[in-house]
Amino acid sequence: SKSVIRKVLSRNNKSHGIQITDSSSTNLNKCQFHENEQSGILCSKNSTSTIQECQSFKNKYHGIYITDSSSTNLNKCQFHENE
């Protein structure tokens, strides 16, 4: 099944803002991920995601990190000021 996450603010976490992993299917819409200790968004381990109109900024690592054969579609997203 597909998870849908809308209008969520995820910030100041000790890890990633959100992890999409282990063959999951997720749709993020109009979410914000910022000032997290790792990446704002992590897509890994064969996950499938659609990320629309989201912002990921001022995270300690990447704004978004896609790895391990994950499929990610981005539409109208903003990534800035990430380390």
Side-chain angles (χ1 to χ4, degrees), residues 63-75:
I64 185 170
Y65 187 59
I66 303 166
T67 187
D68 300 325
S69 300
S70 295
S71 173
T72 304
N73 294 311
L74 300 171
N75 185 21

Side-chain angles (χ1 to χ4, degrees), residues 38-50:
Q38 294 187 23
S39 297
I41 303 167
L42 171 65
C43 302
S44 67
K45 299 181 184 172
N46 298 309
S47 64
T48 302
S49 54
T50 299

Side-chain angles (χ1 to χ4, degrees), residues 25 29 35 55-56 60 64 66-67:
S25 179
N29 188 266
E35 300 169 280
Q55 295 181 5
S56 182
K60 295 271 173 115
I64 185 170
I66 303 166
T67 187

